[in-house]
Amino acid sequence: MNAHPLWHNFFRSGTDIHHVVADLWKKTPLFKNISWRRCLTLSRMMHIRQYKRGELIFKDGEIGLGVAMIVSGNVHIKTGGHLLADLRTGDFFGEIALVIDEPRTANAIAVEEVELAFFLRPDLEEFINQFPKHGAIFMFNLSKVLANRLREANARLRENKSFLEAGNN
Amino acid sequence: MDFYEFAKTRSGELSFLGFLFVASIIVILIQPVLVPVLLSFTLYALLEPISDALYRLGMRRSYTAFICMLVLLSISTAIVLLVVPELVAQVGLIQSKLGYLESIISSIFDNISVQLGAWGVHSDLSESQGLFQKIRPELDLATVLASSNIMIEIVVTAVLVPLFTFFLVRDFQTLRQTVLGTLPNRYFELGWLIYYRVAYQLQRYVRGILLQSLLVGLISGAGFYIVGFETPFLLGAIAGMLNVIPYIGMVLAMLPPILISLSANPFEPQLLISAILVVIITQLIDNVIIVPTVIAHSVSLHPLTVIAGVIIFGNAFGMLGMILAIPVLAALKIIYVGLKQGLKHEPDKKFRF
């Protein structure tokens, strides 16, 4: 039986969306060594958006302001009709925009109904000002994530290069 | 179609006109509380660092807002108890000299008339003398307070400003989140980008301009005190306020000390010269030291825009309009540049984040 909305969860905090978002972020490498309480503080600064099936989340060349984490649903990252990544609940994308003021490098499309939690660059700056120690840990984690992505891209580039060289020979 | 392309289409233009129309109606509707709202936002820009510092220590926004209000109340009480009586006394001192100043100005006009007559030029300066008699009641504090509803406005502002400021400090971030949350998904990031750029620049500008006015007021006040004026405090306050008007502000700031030095009995030419020197030296310090350090990315307006803005605002809203013209125009320019850059998807290289 559904409780009356007035009395629903009156005596307990329950599971509000920020708790769910904090739980999901805590599991990502970006929030390693950052307490759940800080994650919750941050998740309250985040922006929750809902997307319909097939809706464009962002477009290649558009200005980007932050990273998005999938709270629920499925997102495809594409460039030139090419599928780059198939992302699910708990995955995040667009983290480059947290560091530099440059346009997005791919398209992000909602494959089904999607809920996203956006963490924007000015929010990160505010977080660093408010909690410098945790801000430094976050930046360290972010640089590790970006370094890993660079390493993966280099490996893929090497593979493609050797594949092309083998083809030429 | 992105937002910029949309803005260039016919429906985009109509939307912009619709936006302007709605904004104008809102401004007309909130006009009675426009001054308290503007003042509250200015105070919010000043109090926000205190609120943030307390929030960082783990305090709730309600408590930080309460402490900010205590700070505001303490400063206001100190100003009312220490500054206002001194200012009223200095205004009274100037008023007591108005009669003598009027006779001095009349004699100057008479001398000019005689001199011009000797050169064969006919002039009727009696109309200019009449002008002084016309504006004289406006210079009398008691007459101004009695004839207008200025006291009611002051009381209403004194009640509304702390109330608005309290809620701004406590709830502004929630309000901002709610308002920008209504943006469609496609323009959500763009909307936040424009908001952050504009808010950051505006906040810097408001803080900068207030600090600049305070410093100019203090420096010129000290200068007037050193050269021997009886009302240095009042003259410094006037110079500080007028300093926000580029080009014209300096000339306007010179007028009160010049008039006071003319009213000295007997006339002291060195007081007149030193009054002009104090204003010029303050302007030099302002342009060479204060502006580059306090307002790093100052909003530059074309001299013609400044003059036209001051005349139009002065004509519409009087002396207050003249003082507020440039900050309002600068704020509009910041909003315009922020919107233009954001809608064109231009990265702002000078911007901090």
Side-chain angles (χ1 to χ4, degrees):
Chain A
M1 191 183 81
N2 284 336
H4 188 279
L6 184 67
W7 300 105
H8 182 64
N9 286 341
F10 193 80
F11 296 107
R12 59 194 167 92
S13 58
T15 50
D16 77 55
I17 183 75
H18 297 295
H19 285 74
V20 177
V21 171
D23 281 341
L24 288 169
W25 273 121
K26 185 74 190 88
K27 288 175 193 159
T28 66
L30 284 178
F31 285 84
K32 197 180 164 192
N33 297 328
I34 295 177
S35 67
W36 186 84
R37 210 171 135 245
R38 273 298 158 259
C39 274
L40 184 66
T41 314
L42 252 183
S43 74
R44 292 194 195 285
M45 294 160 86
M46 288 176 192
H47 314 268
I48 314 293
R49 311 288 304 185
Q50 280 87 23
Y51 292 81
K52 287 183 193 131
R53 188 181 167 181
E55 195 177 341
L56 192 65
I57 297 164
F58 58 68
K59 206 167 72 173
D60 183 7
E62 268 183 8
I63 211 144
L65 197 58
V67 60
M69 197 232 352
I70 304 169
V71 182
S72 65
N74 180 201
V75 172
H76 277 177
I77 307 293
K78 286 181 172 179
T79 179
H82 216 76
L83 181 68
L84 292 179
D86 178 23
L87 305 174
R88 308 262 164 186
T89 303
D91 290 337
F92 61 91
F93 56 95
E95 65 279 2
I96 294 173
L98 275 181
V99 194
I100 48 170
D101 194 6
E102 289 296 327
R104 299 279 190 195
T105 51
N107 296 330
I109 300 144
V111 181
E112 54 191 1
E113 287 216 344
V114 170
E115 191 165 38
L116 298 176
F118 275 89
F119 181 35
L120 306 182
R121 212 179 321 143
D123 301 330
L124 171 63
E125 205 177 63
E126 210 172 305
F127 179 66
I128 293 169
N129 283 335
Q130 285 179 356
F131 309 103
K133 192 183 141 197
H134 290 99
I137 297 172
F138 182 88
M139 291 311 284
F140 182 64
N141 291 341
L142 179 63
S143 55
K144 270 207 254 183
V145 167
L146 292 175
N148 273 331
R149 297 256 155 115
L150 184 67
R151 196 170 48 82
E152 279 169 26
N154 278 340
R156 224 174 274 174
L157 202 69
R158 249 197 317 270
E159 267 173 37
N160 289 345
K161 209 175 161 186
S162 50
F163 179 74
L164 281 172
E165 278 170 2
N168 286 339
N169 293 332
Chain B
M1 193 193 308
D2 69 14
F3 199 95
Y4 189 58
E5 284 164 5
F6 170 71
K8 284 193 289 189
T9 61
R10 187 149 192 85
S11 49
E13 282 171 10
L14 287 173
S15 310
F16 181 63
L17 283 176
F19 166 76
L20 280 183
F21 181 69
V22 172
S24 311
I25 288 175
I26 292 171
V27 167
I28 291 166
L29 285 176
I30 67 161
Q31 206 223 349
V33 287
L34 199 59
V35 173
V37 167
L38 285 176
L39 278 173
S40 306
F41 270 98
T42 309
L43 285 173
Y44 170 67
L46 292 174
L47 291 170
E48 203 211 1
I50 302 172
S51 169
D52 275 353
L54 294 170
Y55 183 70
R56 230 171 286 156
L57 295 172
M59 211 177 263
R60 284 179 174 205
R61 283 279 176 204
S62 303
Y63 299 137
T64 68
F66 185 70
I67 291 173
C68 283
M69 283 304 102
L70 283 180
V71 171
L72 191 66
L73 192 72
S74 315
I75 295 171
S76 314
T77 311
I79 289 172
V80 168
L81 292 178
L82 301 171
V83 182
V84 172
E86 185 65 24
L87 276 177
V88 169
Q90 296 194 0
V91 168
L93 197 66
I94 289 176
Q95 280 176 347
S96 67
K97 289 181 175 179
L98 281 178
Y100 182 67
L101 186 63
E102 195 181 343
S103 66
I104 294 274
I105 290 171
S106 299
S107 69
I108 290 171
F109 280 139
D110 286 344
N111 286 339
I112 294 170
S113 274
V114 168
Q115 193 61 50
L116 287 174
W119 290 339
V121 181
H122 175 70
S123 66
D124 188 9
L125 290 170
S126 54
E127 278 181 32
S128 313
Q129 291 177 47
L131 184 73
F132 190 83
Q133 278 155 2
K134 261 188 229 167
I135 63 161
R136 199 171 160 186
E138 288 178 31
L139 296 172
D140 186 48
L141 196 62
T143 318
V144 169
L145 290 178
S147 64
S148 68
N149 53 1
I150 198 165
M151 280 312 287
I152 298 168
E153 280 177 25
I154 289 172
V155 171
V156 170
T157 308
V159 173
L160 289 183
V161 168
L163 201 70
F164 286 167
T165 312
F166 175 80
F167 286 112
L168 275 177
V169 174
R170 202 189 71 161
D171 298 325
F172 183 73
Q173 291 192 343
T174 317
L175 182 77
R176 181 185 72 176
Q177 201 89 350
T178 311
V179 172
L180 286 169
T182 58
L183 284 173
N185 282 337
R186 290 289 293 122
Y187 310 121
F188 144 74
E189 277 188 280
L190 182 64
W192 276 97
L193 177 78
I194 292 170
Y195 164 77
Y196 277 120
R197 280 181 180 172
V198 169
Y200 175 75
Q201 298 277 3
L202 268 183
Q203 212 164 35
R204 269 177 70 100
Y205 177 72
V206 169
R207 282 178 197 160
I209 206 94
L210 288 175
L211 186 60
Q212 184 198 16
S213 286
L214 180 72
L215 290 175
V216 167
L218 287 174
I219 294 167
S220 54
F224 290 128
Y225 177 77
I226 291 165
V227 299
F229 272 91
E230 285 175 283
T231 55
F233 208 51
L234 181 67
L235 293 176
I238 292 171
M241 276 194 285
L242 291 173
N243 192 64
V244 296
I245 312 170
Y247 316 111
I248 313 164
M250 190 181 84
V251 180
L252 290 175
M254 264 185 206
L255 281 177
I258 288 175
L259 288 175
I260 289 171
S261 55
L262 281 175
S263 71
N265 193 8
F267 175 62
E268 295 171 49
Q270 72 272 20
L271 196 64
L272 181 68
I273 295 162
S274 52
I276 297 167
L277 277 176
V278 167
V279 177
I280 291 173
I281 290 168
T282 310
Q283 278 297 314
L284 276 175
I285 296 171
D286 181 37
N287 288 323
V288 176
I289 302 167
I290 301 174
V291 171
T293 45
V294 174
I295 310 176
H297 299 292
S298 67
V299 185
S300 54
L301 293 167
H302 193 277
L304 270 179
T305 316
V306 170
I307 293 164
V310 169
I311 291 170
I312 294 167
F313 273 68
N315 197 32
F317 306 106
M319 196 62 198
L320 189 69
M322 284 177 86
I323 293 166
L324 290 178
I326 301 311
V328 169
L329 283 175
L332 286 176
K333 191 181 174 187
I334 289 169
I335 294 169
Y336 171 71
V337 171
L339 278 169
K340 203 177 118 190
Q341 278 183 336
L343 295 177
K344 275 188 173 176
H345 294 181
E346 279 177 10
D348 186 352
K349 299 293 178 199
K350 280 190 285 185
F351 203 54
R352 197 156 59 114
F353 65 79

